[in-house]
Amino acid sequence: MAGPSEQQPVSRRHPSAGASVGGAIGTALLVAAAAAAAGGLLLGTEALPSWDEPLPSYGSRMLGHVARTSEDLYVRFLLSLPGGPQAIVGKKGSESVPGAAAGTSAADEATQDKLKQEVARTSSEIDAQRQVSMKRYVEVRKEVAEAAGGEEPLVLPEHPDEVRMRMPPARPDGPEMRCGEEIPPESSLVTRGIELRARSVFQGNHGGQYGWKYIITFKNLGTDTVQMLTRHWIFVDQHGTLTNEVKGPGARGVTPVLPPGGEWSYESGTSLSTPYGSMHGSFQFEVLKGDTSPEKRSFSARVGRLLLSKKQKDRRLVPCQDEASSELLPQTSVLVTERVILGGQADASGKSKGRYNFGYDVQFNNARDSEIEVVGHSWTVVDAEGTREILAEGPGVGGIFGSRPYRLPAGDAFRVQGKLWSATKLANAEGTYRIIVKEGGTFREIEARTDYMGLSADKSVTHAPNFVAQSAEVL
């Protein structure tokens, strides 16, 4: 995901909608940077060039700005294109306006409503994939309820980190990591009947940064119907240094439902400061139909480690590096609360008035079968001294939306950006949102959280100590 920032509400949907994402990554970044410089809408105040900054220098700085969280690089570029998805927000005080579909055609939905779903390259195609996933989810719930002889209770997903930690440890010399051997720019693994194939393609270099797109293909070889809800990525440079750890909802704004034989693909991008490196990760799934016993209803499927290299047929030895310990928090987080998925990320935005400033970017995915409404928000920051402070508490979504609430249709996604601050260079932050959900003919309020993420004023530091856990130990 690209760096968070204060920006206008330009995207009602996950910014994975738009046109083709092919081509050189350097060119894409310069176009996105130009759009940001024109309106300051996409990447925030840090993305704006200074008055005397030459264009080549600006392009290089922009690549550095997105290097840590550039998994969403293509997505941001798409938002800069004319005719991209627009925000629909309330116009009458605190009233919400339900988000309208971004022009999904019947032809697009028909194209995507098949067992093998190709990479979606336009906003309409991505919208269609969302609608197909929601349609499949509703149908599966109905089938399960009928088979059980009545209303099937809502199966609530578990904490993504807990699901991930239940995976058997990957052997360093096993097929998941392949440490100590030269690895190619592709991998393939099967977990619980879900095959995950990954392939990276070099996109060029600019200003000391090297970019790749990667294509991930899911195929359900098993007998259960499953839904992918969250993702986790580890990006490592040629020296074996962990450069980025990404946690987020779904992929490209979609939480695909895969029936037996189903296949789904997506592509995204990343960048490193070295000409080669590696990536690996996992996706967390919920079983919708099949073995939904407590110990098996959620599982995590690994993406085997693959090479990021200039040459497509290259094989190289890249030192292994796994995720940071639980004592450290990456600058991204994800949490699922009653099928409302919140993914957060943070980025430093300078220092003023004796405090360190940060921008946050939160993505909401509504994986429920009915509309939800975000009606309140608050942010908690815990600094390096263990001091806990509640910031930006109030009605509505907060951030760029202010006090306005927001209605999110079933299966849809949107994002909000805002500002945080801390008295120390390193800190932790968590967003909490009050959300109205509907069950049958009744409404009730839940609290959905981003989970805690790290804050670092030093852009070279990718993780922060878990001050929340440390302060709890003191108490």
Side-chain angles (χ1 to χ4, degrees), residues 241-442:
T241 302
L242 195 163
T243 64
N244 195 15
E245 181 177 357
V246 174
K247 299 178 181 180
R252 303 303 299 276
V254 182
T255 51
V257 173
L258 296 171
E263 186 172 325
W264 182 78
S265 298
Y266 84 97
E267 66 179 38
S268 191
T270 192
S271 66
L272 297 173
S273 60
T274 58
Y276 66 92
S278 70
M279 61 180 285
H280 67 280
S282 62
F283 293 89
Q284 289 67 56
F285 293 82
E286 177 191 350
V287 177
L288 301 180
K289 182 181 179 182
D291 190 347
T292 57
S293 57
E295 66 276 9
K296 291 187 176 182
R297 65 185 176 89
S298 298
F299 67 95
S300 190
R302 281 193 175 95
V303 177
R305 197 167 69 105
L306 64 148
L307 179 68
L308 299 171
S309 174
K310 288 183 176 181
K311 299 178 181 179
Q312 193 57 37
K313 295 185 178 181
D314 200 6
R315 297 181 73 96
R316 286 182 178 270
L317 181 65
V318 180
C320 276
Q321 177 64 267
D322 207 347
E323 63 185 282
S325 73
S326 59
E327 297 177 354
L328 297 174
L329 295 178
Q331 295 178 56
T332 59
S333 66
V334 66
L335 195 58
V336 186
T337 305
E338 301 195 28
R339 296 189 62 84
V340 176
I341 313 172
L342 268 61
Q345 63 173 31
D347 200 10
S349 59
K351 183 179 180 181
S352 63
K353 300 180 180 179
R355 69 186 188 187
Y356 298 92
N357 300 314
F358 303 90
Y360 69 79
D361 187 340
V362 176
Q363 177 180 313
F364 294 70
N365 275 68
N366 179 10
R368 300 177 66 89
D369 59 4
S370 59
E371 181 183 83
I372 64 173
E373 184 174 15
V374 184
V375 297
H377 71 280
S378 68
W379 277 86
T380 302
V381 171
V382 179
D383 67 20
E385 304 299 325
T387 302
R388 185 181 300 259
E389 185 176 4
I390 297 179
L391 309 177
E393 185 176 25
V397 183
I400 57 174
F401 287 88
S403 61
R404 290 172 294 188
Y406 193 87
R407 294 178 189 167
L408 186 62
D412 213 339
F414 85 107
R415 294 170 82 152
V416 60
Q417 299 79 27
K419 293 181 178 180
L420 300 172
W421 56 88
S422 169
T424 56
K425 288 184 177 181
L426 295 172
N428 304 157
E430 178 184 61
T432 301
Y433 293 86
R434 293 188 295 111
I435 296 175
I436 303 297
V437 300
K438 181 180 179 181
E439 289 182 356
T442 63

Side-chain angles (χ1 to χ4, degrees), residues 121-361:
R121 301 182 185 278
T122 68
S123 61
S124 182
E125 290 173 350
I126 291 173
D127 290 338
Q129 286 191 350
R130 290 194 186 113
Q131 292 184 21
V132 169
S133 290
M134 182 49 57
K135 175 183 175 183
R136 289 177 177 176
Y137 172 67
V138 171
E139 289 175 348
V140 170
R141 282 201 67 192
K142 182 178 180 181
E143 291 174 5
V144 172
E146 290 176 350
E151 181 67 25
E152 181 72 8
L154 182 68
V155 176
L156 302 180
E158 300 171 84
H159 192 304
D161 285 348
E162 294 177 357
V163 175
R164 205 159 38 80
M165 294 305 177
R166 284 208 306 267
M167 287 190 297
R171 302 194 323 271
D173 60 347
E176 300 94 344
M177 297 297 290
R178 298 183 285 184
C179 299
E181 66 177 86
E182 295 181 339
I183 57 173
E186 64 263 343
S187 70
S188 178
L189 287 176
V190 178
T191 305
R192 289 273 299 268
I194 302 300
E195 180 185 46
L196 290 176
R197 301 192 304 270
R199 178 170 60 92
S200 67
V201 180
F202 184 60
Q203 297 292 287
N205 65 286
H206 182 79
Q209 291 289 322
Y210 301 83
W212 292 266
K213 75 174 179 180
Y214 52 87
I215 302 94
I216 311 297
T217 297
F218 301 63
K219 188 169 184 179
N220 188 351
L221 305 176
T223 57
D224 293 344
T225 297
V226 302
Q227 182 174 24
M228 186 272 283
L229 295 177
T230 59
R231 72 189 189 281
H232 179 241
W233 285 116
I234 298 291
F235 298 94
V236 175
D237 69 15
Q238 70 181 53
H239 308 297
T241 302
L242 195 163
T243 64
N244 195 15
E245 181 177 357
V246 174
K247 299 178 181 180
R252 303 303 299 276
V254 182
T255 51
V257 173
L258 296 171
E263 186 172 325
W264 182 78
S265 298
Y266 84 97
E267 66 179 38
S268 191
T270 192
S271 66
L272 297 173
S273 60
T274 58
Y276 66 92
S278 70
M279 61 180 285
H280 67 280
S282 62
F283 293 89
Q284 289 67 56
F285 293 82
E286 177 191 350
V287 177
L288 301 180
K289 182 181 179 182
D291 190 347
T292 57
S293 57
E295 66 276 9
K296 291 187 176 182
R297 65 185 176 89
S298 298
F299 67 95
S300 190
R302 281 193 175 95
V303 177
R305 197 167 69 105
L306 64 148
L307 179 68
L308 299 171
S309 174
K310 288 183 176 181
K311 299 178 181 179
Q312 193 57 37
K313 295 185 178 181
D314 200 6
R315 297 181 73 96
R316 286 182 178 270
L317 181 65
V318 180
C320 276
Q321 177 64 267
D322 207 347
E323 63 185 282
S325 73
S326 59
E327 297 177 354
L328 297 174
L329 295 178
Q331 295 178 56
T332 59
S333 66
V334 66
L335 195 58
V336 186
T337 305
E338 301 195 28
R339 296 189 62 84
V340 176
I341 313 172
L342 268 61
Q345 63 173 31
D347 200 10
S349 59
K351 183 179 180 181
S352 63
K353 300 180 180 179
R355 69 186 188 187
Y356 298 92
N357 300 314
F358 303 90
Y360 69 79
D361 187 340

